Amino acid sequence: MMDAVARPAESEPNLAAIAADAAGEHAVGRPTVYVYEAPVRICHWVNAFAIIVLMITGYLIGSPLPTVAGEASANFVMGYIRFAHFAAGQVLAVFFLARIFWAFVGNHHSRQIFYIPVHRKQFWKEVLHEIRWYAFLEREPKMYVGHNPLAQTAMFTGFTLFVTFMIVTGFALYSEGTGIDSWQHKLFGWVFSIWPNSQDVHTWHHLGMWALVTFVMVHVYAAIREDIMSRQSIISSMISGERQFRD
């Protein structure tokens, strides 16, 4: 066995330099911008949790468990699954409305997911650049304080429109159980004038679930990818509210 070699004196760490750096004397300053206000971040994470619960329970409602152990009279598994689905749907509706409210009173970044500036040519040029960036055809990313143009387009179509559709069709289906005198039927019963067959509404609602599953996977991938490759904080921004530019 080779003997351990004593470390030369000159390789010893400079404790004074380390202590000074810990005190911030050699810290590297990075541009930081406060982007996402607390209500935006709270709504984001509550809605994310509600959507996950809705996707899991929605799948099980569409494809029920083949069997459960024990006597049927002693089990209420599907009942609990349906209750969790209904409860999560109502939580999503409340916080989605809160998110819409904050778009009116918050900063301009809080409004990005509710519109697309279709009239601006520069916006679409930047969308094309972002598509090329995500396709690894651009060498350098562009820096944006809020959502980049492609992310804004994706959030508007993949989140705002899809979630609105799921809330409307979900409450319409829920109104079948609460009756025609319920507020759910009064607000959302018009859905059945578009699809008189209830099964059609179920089918579209189920397809909407898979659209949201696809959106969530792409959204998570894009956030992690940008956090690494674009050299700007993405994931932590929705926790702290601050966007940091590392380069």
Side-chain angles (χ1 to χ4, degrees):
M1 179 182 295
M2 182 180 297
D3 293 333
V5 179
R7 184 163 49 180
E10 59 269 22
S11 65
E12 291 294 333
N14 188 333
L15 299 181
I18 294 176
D21 188 58
E25 295 182 14
H26 297 283
V28 177
R30 302 187 188 281
T32 302
V33 182
Y34 185 67
V35 181
Y36 301 117
E37 299 161 304
V40 172
R41 305 198 305 274
I42 293 171
C43 288
H44 174 275
W45 291 114
V46 172
N47 288 340
F49 177 75
I51 287 172
I52 291 173
V53 173
L54 284 164
M55 289 190 299
I56 295 173
T57 55
Y59 175 81
L60 292 174
I61 290 172
S63 301
L65 300 172
T67 185
V68 293
E71 294 293 330
S73 60
N75 290 278
F76 194 59
V77 176
M78 289 306 301
Y80 291 130
I81 290 174
R82 286 172 62 84
F83 172 78
H85 190 79
F86 298 154
Q90 295 183 49
V91 169
L92 176 65
V94 169
F95 277 84
F96 187 68
L97 289 175
R99 184 65 180 83
I100 293 174
F101 168 76
W102 197 256
F104 289 97
V105 300
N107 62 24
H108 69 276
H109 299 296
S110 65
R111 294 186 281 276
Q112 279 190 299
I113 69 171
F114 294 104
Y115 74 99
I116 299 176
V118 294
H119 61 285
R120 287 176 47 201
K121 292 183 180 179
Q122 184 61 30
F123 177 84
W124 295 112
K125 289 181 180 179
E126 293 176 358
V127 167
L128 179 60
H129 177 275
E130 291 303 310
I131 292 175
R132 291 178 56 83
W133 164 248
Y134 279 99
F136 300 97
L137 298 176
E138 293 286 347
R139 296 181 62 87
E140 297 294 334
K142 290 186 177 181
M143 300 297 180
Y144 297 93
V145 175
H147 290 297
N148 69 58
L150 182 60
Q152 181 176 351
T153 304
M155 288 297 296
F156 175 74
T157 55
F159 176 76
T160 303
L161 294 185
F162 282 174
V163 167
T164 300
F165 176 81
M166 295 300 284
I167 290 174
V168 170
T169 54
F171 273 103
L173 292 170
Y174 190 74
S175 71
E176 291 185 303
T178 57
I180 61 174
D181 293 329
S182 64
W183 65 265
Q184 292 92 343
H185 189 273
K186 291 177 181 177
L187 290 179
F188 303 100
W190 55 267
V191 171
F192 296 108
S193 64
I194 301 175
W195 294 293
N197 188 342
S198 174
Q199 185 56 48
D200 291 339
V201 183
H202 278 277
T203 300
W204 282 109
H205 192 72
H206 190 73
L207 291 174
M209 178 199 74
W210 287 113
L212 274 178
V213 169
T214 303
F215 167 78
V216 168
M217 291 190 296
V218 173
H219 179 65
V220 172
Y221 162 74
I224 296 174
R225 179 189 185 279
E226 286 301 278
D227 213 308
I228 297 171
M229 297 190 63
S230 70
R231 305 295 297 159
Q232 52 188 316
S233 62
I234 303 295
I235 299 173
S236 61
S237 294
M238 200 49 72
I239 298 174
S240 67
E242 296 179 341
R243 173 68 43 82
Q244 184 182 87
F245 300 94
R246 304 188 185 99
D247 292 334

